[in-house]
């Protein structure tokens, strides 16, 4: 759907519940038509909480006093087997930017999962050099998630200090991932201190320009042990419903369920066939957060498969380890939630329709002239 910056901004500043219900219904209809009613389950395994970076939003940043762990090869493979038993089609390996996870080890791990399971493999390991990304792809990785976090370059520099002055930018890495044939996922946090409604509208435009296969959106959740978490504690939010567009564009973006759901809905409208999760951050913010996201355009859930002894240490934001997912019984809750809104559970890998089209084009370029 063609959505201009002004259209997007108008939706973002709308606070009228009837109008918002219309937006969510429209996105839900596009979701149903493009990717169907079956919800894709991706098993998330947080393989290491070591991190060399100093992102001001994240509880894993290098300087937090935090017990660190790195899962063993065997432990990760056991999680992959659990994902298969649970009926998931995808495993997502996520970590801090851990220099101790060397590329050869990761390639071996990816190849072993590929050889021993039918799972699609998604990586979310932060910024890695092009040759490593290429090796991961050759070893059998299918997808990569790397959020650009915000399209406001000044804000991004402030919250995500570069490791070295000449380090490749996230947009550059997203471009490499695409060239290497990965299914590419990106996204932003909603309601970062210093982020405006205009910034969020530009984020949506960027999702369209990047032609993303997957879009991850979650509310920013202040972590008290981080610089940004402390800054967020004394922030005032201003109601913006009746403001003229130009003024509303400059207002701070709130980190609420409503604003995140508006972003999910707009992401669905701008990238109709993308896989869009209803994120754990949204579920952490409100007990109905997960369902709200699924009814506003999302079609993916990422249940956490990280062994319990590590899960609480993967502390990117507070209360992340949602108890409703911790026990076997908790997973039943998730399924009940999904069924309560008339949706089903997908089987199979759940590749995005856009990557299937792109790969077919790479194979037969002359049929697509
Ligand atoms: N190291 C990897 C994985 C990070 S965790 C990377 O940087 O890509 C995945 C996502 O969690 C991040 O991209 C960020 O958008 C989100 N996140 C981190 N800290 C957060 C916080 N305090 N509140 C909400 N989301 C957060």
């Amino acid at each position: 759907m063609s959505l201009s910056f002004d259209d997007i901004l108008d939706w973002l500043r709308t606070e009228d519940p009837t109008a918002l219900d219309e937006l969510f219904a429209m996105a839900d209809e596009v979701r149903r038509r493009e990717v169907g009613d079956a919800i894709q389950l991706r098993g998330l395994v947080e393989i290491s909480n070591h991190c060399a970076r100093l992102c001001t939003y994240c509880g894993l940043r290098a300087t937090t006093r935090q017990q660190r762990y790195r899962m063993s090869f065997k432990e990760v493979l056991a999680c992959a087997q659990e994902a298969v038993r649970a009926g998931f089609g995808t495993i997502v390996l996520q970590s801090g930017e851990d220099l101790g996870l060397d590329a050869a080890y990761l390639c071996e791990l990816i190849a072993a999962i590929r050889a021993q399971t039918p799972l699609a493999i998604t990586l979310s390991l932060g910024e890695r050099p092009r040759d490593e990304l290429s090796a991961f792809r050759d070893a059998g990785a299918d997808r990569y998630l790397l959020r650009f976090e915000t399209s406001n370059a000044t804000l991004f520099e402030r919250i995500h200090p570069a490791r070295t002055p000449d380090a490749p930018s996230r947009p550059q890495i997203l471009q490499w991932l695409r060239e290497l044939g990965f299914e590419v996922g990106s996204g932003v946090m909603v309601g970062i201190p210093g982020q405006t409604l205009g910034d969020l509208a530009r984020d949506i435009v960027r999702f369209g320009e990047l032609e993303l296969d997957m879009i991850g959106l979650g509310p920013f959740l202040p972590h008290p042990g981080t610089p940004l978490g402390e800054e967020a504690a004394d922030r005032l939010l201003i109601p913006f419903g009746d403001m003229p567009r130009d003024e509303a564009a400059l207002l701070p973006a709130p980190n609420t369920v409503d604003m995140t759901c508006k972003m999910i809905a707009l992401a669905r409208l701008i990238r109709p066939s993308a896989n869009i999760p209803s994120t754990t951050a949204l579920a952490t913010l409100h007990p109905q957060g997960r369902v709200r996201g699924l009814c506003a355009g999302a079609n993916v859930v990422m249940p956490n498969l990280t062994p319990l002894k590590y899960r609480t240490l993967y502390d990117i934001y507070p209360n992340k380890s949602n108890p409703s997912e911790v026990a076997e019984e908790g997973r039943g809750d998730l399924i009940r939630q999904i069924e309560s809104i008339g949706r089903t559970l997908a089987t199979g890998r759940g590749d995005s329709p856009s990557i299937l089209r792109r790969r077919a084009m790479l194979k037969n370029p002359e049929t697509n002239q």
Side-chain angles (χ1 to χ4, degrees):
M1 177 185 273
S2 83
L3 274 176
S4 71
F5 173 84
D6 285 351
D7 297 334
I8 296 166
L9 188 55
D10 285 343
W11 279 119
L12 291 177
R13 72 194 175 109
T14 299
E15 285 181 320
D16 170 21
T18 317
L20 286 181
D21 282 347
E22 270 168 43
L23 171 69
F24 299 146
M26 197 156 57
D28 198 43
E29 179 53 30
V30 173
R31 185 271 311 151
R32 197 186 58 72
R33 191 185 69 216
E34 296 284 332
V35 290
D37 277 336
I39 289 179
Q40 305 290 340
L41 295 176
R42 323 290 206 201
L44 177 66
V45 185
E46 296 151 336
I47 61 174
S48 161
N49 72 348
H50 287 265
C51 192
R53 305 300 295 265
L54 285 170
C55 305
T56 61
Y57 48 88
C58 180
L60 301 188
R61 68 201 304 268
T63 51
T64 47
R65 290 173 150 275
Q66 161 80 274
Q67 191 190 331
R68 304 284 171 167
Y69 73 87
R70 190 175 292 128
M71 284 173 64
S72 72
F73 197 89
K74 262 173 102 176
E75 285 173 323
V76 181
L77 275 185
C79 289
Q81 296 298 354
E82 198 189 329
V84 175
R85 270 196 303 279
F88 303 165
T90 297
I91 187 167
V92 183
L93 305 181
Q94 192 179 80
S95 70
E97 256 175 62
D98 179 1
L99 305 176
L101 278 177
D102 70 82
Y105 169 82
L106 287 166
C107 286
E108 223 180 295
L109 188 59
I110 293 162
I113 298 173
R114 162 94 326 145
Q116 294 175 28
T117 75
L119 298 168
I121 303 170
T122 303
L123 304 177
S124 171
L125 308 173
E127 298 163 24
R128 314 266 322 193
R130 193 183 198 281
D131 58 333
E132 292 189 7
L133 298 171
S134 173
F136 300 157
R137 179 86 188 106
D138 291 343
D142 302 281
R143 311 180 186 139
Y144 206 100
L145 305 173
L146 187 72
R147 293 187 181 176
F148 60 78
E149 313 294 359
T150 170
S151 54
N152 176 332
T154 318
L155 178 61
F156 182 72
E157 272 169 41
R158 185 139 42 89
I159 66 169
H160 189 91
R163 196 144 50 115
T164 55
D166 58 347
S169 66
R170 288 199 167 200
Q172 168 70 75
I173 298 171
L174 291 171
Q175 175 62 32
W176 291 340
L177 290 167
R178 206 177 151 88
E179 290 163 8
L180 292 168
F182 279 97
E183 243 179 282
V184 182
S186 193
V188 300
M189 288 180 287
V190 177
I192 307 167
Q195 187 183 41
T196 63
L197 290 193
D199 292 333
L200 290 183
R202 274 179 286 275
D203 294 340
I204 296 285
V205 172
R206 183 70 58 83
F207 296 157
E209 291 166 352
L210 289 170
E211 300 183 22
L212 296 176
D213 305 304
M214 303 170 285
I215 303 173
L217 292 159
F220 163 70
L221 298 171
H223 188 303
T226 61
L228 208 61
E230 278 154 30
E231 201 180 307
D234 34 51
R235 159 161 80 128
L236 278 180
L237 289 175
I238 308 156
F240 42 77
D242 297 328
M243 286 223 180
R245 187 191 284 149
D246 293 358
E247 284 174 42
L250 301 174
L251 287 177
N255 55 344
T256 56
V257 173
D258 263 349
M259 189 53 75
T260 308
C261 287
K262 287 189 215 181
M263 288 293 285
I264 289 176
L266 293 163
R268 171 62 64 202
L269 296 181
I270 207 131
R271 289 292 296 153
S273 69
N275 283 321
I276 303 180
S278 187
T279 52
T280 306
L282 187 56
T284 303
L285 189 59
H286 191 276
Q288 286 303 308
R290 173 112 59 208
V291 162
R292 290 276 318 274
L294 290 173
C295 295
N299 69 316
V300 174
V301 173
M302 296 167 70
N304 198 327
L305 289 181
T306 311
L308 287 180
K309 63 177 173 179
Y310 300 131
R311 203 178 294 183
T312 46
L313 300 175
Y314 197 83
D315 177 33
I316 51 180
Y317 48 76
N319 307 317
K320 188 187 118 285
S321 182
N322 183 347
S324 76
E325 265 175 27
V326 170
E328 274 304 318
E329 190 196 330
R331 226 163 278 140
D333 282 352
L334 183 66
I335 291 165
R336 268 193 294 280
Q337 260 191 345
I338 289 172
E339 287 170 350
S340 75
I341 51 170
R343 308 276 276 278
T344 55
L345 296 176
T347 52
R349 293 161 42 107
D351 296 311
S352 93
S354 41
I355 190 75
L356 297 178
R357 280 195 295 270
R358 223 157 57 230
R359 288 197 184 129
M361 211 146 84
L362 284 174
K363 268 198 198 128
N364 302 306
E366 63 289 347
T367 59
N368 295 282
Q369 301 280 305

